[in-house]
């Protein structure tokens, strides 16, 4: 039996650029990623996504502007937890990205994503996101740096 934990992951984009944050602490430290985290009790998934974005880089997005663009599942060898990560995108936002205790935000051109300093799975599913395709992916990791096996597919709807 796998214990499922749900997470959000948000990507803001503008003018062929995407906003990533360098994680300053905790799981995924020193990796560039979107913004997100765990759901709090009694919170909807889009409320959590919008809250985490604001907490981590001071950008505000209306929950109705968040589009669910992907669904990822991560498991780790010897660990009974499955991380279910709901990926959201938006081109509509308010505010200027600011560094927080959790993240250092930076805009990257969509054709120059820093994959060498990101989770290894990102190389596999980012191309779907960047082409505007909806996607489902599952990845089984041997350790934090090594994917043992994975499956990825384009979805017609979420
Ligand atoms: P906190 O622990 O900070 O939430 N996350 C991953 N993102 C990618 N791209 N690949 C992974 O491969 C990931 N594992 C977790 C989900 C963790 C944040 O990191 C994302 C959350 O947004 C294993 O609360």
């Amino acid at each position: 039996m796998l214990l499922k934990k749900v997470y959000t992951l948000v990507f803001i984009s503008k003018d062929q650029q995407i906003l990533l944050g360098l994680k300053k602490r905790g799981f995924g430290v020193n990796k560039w990623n979107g913004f997100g985290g765990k759901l709090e009790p009694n919170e909807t998934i889009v409320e959590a996504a919008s809250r985490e974005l604001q907490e981590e880089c001071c950008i505000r997005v209306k929950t109705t502007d968040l589009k669910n663009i992907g669904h990822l599942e991560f498991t780790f060898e010897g660990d009974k937890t499955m991380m279910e990560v709901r990926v959201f995108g938006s081109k509509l936002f308010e505010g200027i990205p600011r560094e927080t205790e959790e993240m250092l935000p930076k805009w990257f051109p969509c054709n120059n994503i820093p994959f060498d300093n990101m989770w290894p799975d990102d190389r596999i599913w980012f191309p779907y996101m960047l082409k505007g395709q909806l996607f489902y992916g599952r990845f089984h990791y041997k350790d934090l740096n090594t994917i043992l096996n994975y499956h990825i597919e384009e979805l017609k709807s979420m």
Side-chain angles (χ1 to χ4, degrees):
M1 259 279 285
L2 282 175
L3 174 73
K4 187 174 88 174
K5 285 195 186 155
V6 181
Y7 293 77
T8 61
L9 187 59
V10 177
F11 293 90
I12 298 296
S13 55
K14 65 158 192 194
D15 310 332
Q16 296 302 308
Q17 298 182 92
I18 189 160
L19 186 66
L20 300 177
L22 187 65
K23 189 104 189 277
K24 292 167 63 178
R25 63 183 185 195
F27 193 66
V29 65
N30 293 331
K31 288 183 167 69
W32 293 99
N33 204 350
F35 302 87
K38 289 183 210 70
L39 246 66
E40 283 179 1
N42 304 320
E43 197 177 41
T44 65
I45 189 93
V46 282
E47 284 167 355
S50 169
R51 173 184 54 74
E52 287 279 352
L53 181 70
Q54 179 151 13
E55 284 176 6
E56 292 185 344
C57 72
C58 308
I59 290 287
R60 294 175 303 282
V61 174
K62 292 195 192 95
T63 52
T64 45
D65 289 331
L66 284 169
K67 306 280 171 256
N68 189 194
I69 56 172
H71 184 142
L72 298 169
E73 293 173 351
F74 300 111
T75 47
F76 290 86
E77 196 72 356
D79 188 335
K80 289 200 161 52
T81 313
M82 183 187 72
M83 301 179 72
E84 180 178 301
V85 179
R86 306 289 188 88
V87 188
F88 294 89
S90 180
K91 291 189 165 123
L92 301 173
F93 61 93
E94 282 178 12
I96 295 166
R98 292 198 196 290
E99 183 174 357
T100 62
E101 287 184 2
E102 185 95 8
M103 288 285 212
L104 171 67
K106 186 177 169 191
W107 292 101
F108 286 89
C110 290
N111 61 4
N112 194 19
I113 305 291
F115 287 119
D116 288 346
N117 296 97
M118 295 169 76
W119 283 104
D121 55 273
D122 293 9
R123 261 181 215 284
I124 297 162
W125 60 264
F126 255 62
Y128 289 79
M129 174 167 77
L130 295 173
K131 277 187 265 173
Q133 294 169 338
L134 307 176
F135 57 92
Y136 164 74
R138 61 172 175 269
F139 300 85
H140 183 62
Y141 273 79
K142 177 164 162 264
D143 53 49
L144 294 179
N145 302 310
T146 324
I147 297 171
L148 270 184
N149 53 66
Y150 72 92
H151 167 85
I152 179 99
E153 65 185 273
E154 184 186 355
L155 297 179
K156 289 301 165 203
S157 63
M158 288 302 300

